[in-house]
Amino acid sequence: MKALSIVFYAIGFILLIISCFTTSIAVTWWLGGLAVVALIVGCVFQFNANTHAQQFNYHHHHN
C-alpha cells in the first residue's frame, strides 16, 4: 500500500506539472483533474497503509 501511494503521488505530481505547460484550456483542466484524482488515491492508499500498520502494532503488542 505504501508503494502504491508513492506511485500515485508521483503520477499526480507529474500530471500537475505537465498541466502547467499546456496551451489548451481543456487539456489543462483534464490533466489537472486527473492529477487531483491521482493525489487523492495516493492519500487513500497512504491512509490504509498507516491504518493497517497501527492495527498490526496494536495486536502485536497486546498478544
Side-chain angles (χ1 to χ4, degrees), residues 4-62:
L4 280 175
S5 68
I6 293 170
V7 168
F8 276 98
Y9 281 140
I11 291 170
F13 176 74
I14 290 167
L15 287 174
L16 200 57
I17 296 300
I18 292 171
S19 74
C20 292
F21 295 102
T22 58
T23 55
S24 169
I25 301 284
V27 173
T28 300
W29 276 97
W30 276 105
L31 288 176
L34 289 174
V36 169
V37 169
L39 292 171
I40 290 171
V41 170
C43 288
V44 170
F45 280 133
Q46 183 180 5
F47 176 78
N48 287 336
N50 288 340
T51 303
H52 178 70
Q54 288 173 356
Q55 288 175 350
F56 176 75
N57 287 338
Y58 176 77
H59 293 300
H60 181 70
H61 291 301
H62 286 74

